[in-house]
Amino acid sequence: GEACRLDPQSVEYRHELTQLFVQTRRWDKALESAKILVRLEPRSDEFRQLLEQIGKQSERPKSVGPALN
């Protein structure tokens, strides 16, 4: 996050931050970050696909815990 505040136009930092949010399953933050990434690099198929994947993931119902037996 700090790197993106220092250099908000850095595609590299934004991509790393987006990946961190995905890895930690912070889908709301990942989606927001991926949207910024696509705005920074609108021609990037990779970033548009990442945004689409995160969007689908963020729409899934959240698990409420282990299934009861």
Side-chain angles (χ1 to χ4, degrees), residues 1-10 12-15 17 33:
E2 183 67 20
C4 286
R5 281 192 287 279
L6 295 174
D7 188 2
Q9 301 301 310
S10 171
E12 181 180 343
Y13 291 149
R14 178 59 60 182
H15 186 243
L17 182 62
S33 190

Side-chain angles (χ1 to χ4, degrees), residues 4 6 12 16 23-24 27 38 41-42 47 51 53 57 63:
C4 286
L6 295 174
E12 181 180 343
E16 290 294 323
Q23 291 169 2
T24 57
W27 303 118
V38 169
E41 287 288 332
F47 296 157
L51 175 59
Q53 290 170 348
Q57 188 66 42
S63 174

